[in-house]
Amino acid sequence: MKKNKLLIQNSITYAIVIACWIVAQILISTGNMKSLMKGLLVPLCIYAILAISLNLTVGILGELSLGHAGFMCVGAFSGAFFTKCMENVIPDVTVRFLIALLIGAAVAGVCGILIGIPVLRLKGDYLAIVTLAFGEIIKNLINAMYVGKDASGFHFSIKDSLSLGLDDTGVVIIKGAQGITGTPKAATFTIAIILVLLTLFITLNLINSRTGRAIMSIRDNRIAAESVGINITKYKLMAFSISAALAGVAGVLYAHNLSSLAATPKNFGYNMSIMILVFVVLGGLGNIRGSMIAAVVLTMLPELLRGLNDYRMLIYAVVLIVMMLFNSSPKAIEMRSVFMDRLKSKKKPAKEAA
């Protein structure tokens, strides 16, 4: 019975994503979608992936991480770097993009493991501060880095592009604060939707597995989990690294949705990490479907209200407050539970009559 209920809930989540893709395709084919909305389709999927992956750390594992933008940055630059380096070796842009997704996920996952080994020994605010520092270090490191390639191989410098010492065939790939330019725009809405579904599949299956139950037991009571033989470090590191790898996938998608990629505070800074955390909190800690919907709604809202220049941010703030109260207020939670109980009680007589 419980398995059937989980299957139904997961199927509803997948169906929502597929329905959104179908509606978007119909609107595009009939010409009823504005160019502004078309430009938002891939970013909506990126933010949905980021929200789902962060919920794995914050909601399921119960650890506050503010370095998610850092993992996204690692994935974006490693994926874009591969795509630029292999443009003469692998001419097919789609194939390069798909391989870049795997590389971005792998590099971000490895960074998650390397950061997680020392960091996950910390708790609460200390963990948040260290992960925030990681995000800022990664951003500043990439801004200071110059990487070029010529016939003799790769060249690195932290001064400028001239100090790379490239020959006549040399190409500068990472140009410090200018980042990487000329990345092919290979990210499409269909690929982005497939990646959202893949992220949901990985996350939901992990949560409903034995591993997921072990992770949630650590969140609920660390001492009790350790007393029954659960390896705390192993499961915390697993959740953290998977979350980082999925953020890396979102980063690769982000990099291939733009023609130029730079590690600016707006793209990969502190505010980006906070925004992703807001999606998770408003959608509900541990609620994967809720965080995905919150990411879509809160990303679309400022653009849809752009015509109301004087009141746009006021309405946005009001919606944030209402969503927070609806998801977190004890009274609202009680009202929702009463409503669901009444709905179930009405369904029972109908079934008995049938």
Side-chain angles (χ1 to χ4, degrees):
M1 186 69 182
K2 191 176 180 181
K3 285 185 178 180
N4 292 335
K5 190 177 179 181
L6 282 172
L7 184 64
I8 291 167
Q9 290 296 322
N10 293 348
S11 300
I12 291 169
T13 307
Y14 296 132
I16 290 169
V17 177
I18 295 167
C20 289
W21 178 79
I22 293 169
V23 170
Q25 293 299 325
I26 292 169
L27 291 174
I28 291 168
S29 60
T30 55
N32 292 320
M33 184 176 285
K34 295 179 181 179
S35 57
L36 175 66
M37 192 60 206
K38 283 181 185 177
L40 272 178
L41 292 176
V42 175
L44 287 173
C45 295
I46 293 167
Y47 291 129
I49 293 170
L50 288 168
I52 293 165
S53 59
L54 184 60
N55 210 338
L56 189 58
T57 300
V58 178
I60 307 303
L61 181 59
E63 299 288 358
L64 180 59
S65 172
L66 295 178
H68 219 54
F71 295 118
M72 180 189 174
C73 184
V74 169
F77 274 88
S78 57
F81 184 81
F82 172 83
T83 304
K84 286 288 289 180
C85 288
M86 294 291 141
E87 59 186 353
N88 295 325
V89 180
I90 307 172
D92 193 308
V93 175
T94 307
V95 174
R96 270 188 289 151
F97 174 53
L98 293 175
I99 298 171
L101 285 169
L102 297 175
I103 290 171
V107 174
V110 169
C111 286
I113 293 170
L114 294 175
I115 296 299
I117 290 170
V119 164
L120 290 176
R121 298 175 187 276
L122 304 171
K123 297 178 185 178
D125 297 340
Y126 299 104
L127 176 64
I129 291 166
V130 174
T131 51
L132 174 62
F134 161 74
E136 293 300 310
I137 288 167
I138 288 293
K139 178 173 63 67
N140 291 319
L141 190 64
I142 289 172
N143 281 331
M145 189 185 296
Y146 293 85
V147 182
K149 185 184 77 165
D150 60 13
S152 61
F154 291 101
H155 300 259
F156 301 87
S157 174
I158 56 171
K159 291 182 179 180
D160 52 39
S161 55
L162 294 174
S163 61
L164 290 170
L166 300 173
D167 59 24
D168 295 337
T169 62
V171 178
V172 181
I173 300 171
I174 300 179
K175 305 172 184 177
Q178 294 180 23
I180 300 175
T181 55
T183 310
K185 295 184 74 174
T188 63
F189 181 53
T190 302
I191 292 174
I193 283 290
I194 291 169
L195 290 175
V196 172
L197 290 170
L198 183 62
T199 304
L200 283 170
F201 178 79
I202 292 168
T203 308
L204 292 174
N205 277 280
L206 177 66
I207 292 168
N208 298 322
S209 67
R210 184 179 177 182
T211 302
R213 288 190 290 273
I215 292 168
M216 285 186 281
S217 70
I218 296 168
R219 176 197 65 190
D220 295 336
N221 195 320
R222 180 190 175 111
I223 296 170
E226 199 167 11
S227 67
V228 295
I230 292 173
N231 190 327
I232 303 292
T233 306
K234 173 188 169 183
Y235 287 109
K236 285 179 76 172
L237 198 58
M238 186 185 294
F240 195 71
S241 58
I242 291 171
S243 176
L246 293 174
V249 169
V252 176
L253 196 60
Y254 181 86
H256 289 79
N257 190 45
L258 304 168
S259 56
S260 60
L261 179 68
T264 62
K266 182 181 177 182
N267 295 344
F268 303 111
Y270 168 74
N271 288 334
M272 173 63 82
S273 291
I274 292 297
M275 186 175 72
I276 302 165
L277 184 62
V278 167
F279 297 154
V280 173
V281 172
L282 291 181
L285 295 177
N287 187 341
I288 300 300
R289 190 196 305 167
S291 58
M292 179 181 69
I293 293 169
V296 172
V297 171
L298 293 180
T299 305
M300 286 179 62
L301 198 61
E303 300 302 327
L304 295 176
L305 297 173
R306 195 169 286 279
L308 303 169
N309 287 328
D310 296 333
Y311 306 103
R312 183 164 65 100
M313 295 314 294
L314 174 63
I315 296 169
Y316 182 70
V318 169
V319 170
L320 277 174
I321 293 167
V322 170
M323 286 184 71
M324 180 67 80
L325 291 172
F326 181 75
N327 283 310
S328 304
S329 170
K331 196 69 177 176
I333 294 169
E334 184 185 341
M335 287 172 65
R336 287 209 309 270
S337 63
V338 169
F339 176 76
M340 292 303 294
D341 290 340
R342 286 180 181 177
L343 198 65
K344 287 176 183 177
S345 62
K346 284 181 181 179
K347 283 182 179 179
K348 281 181 181 178
K351 284 182 180 179
E352 288 172 1

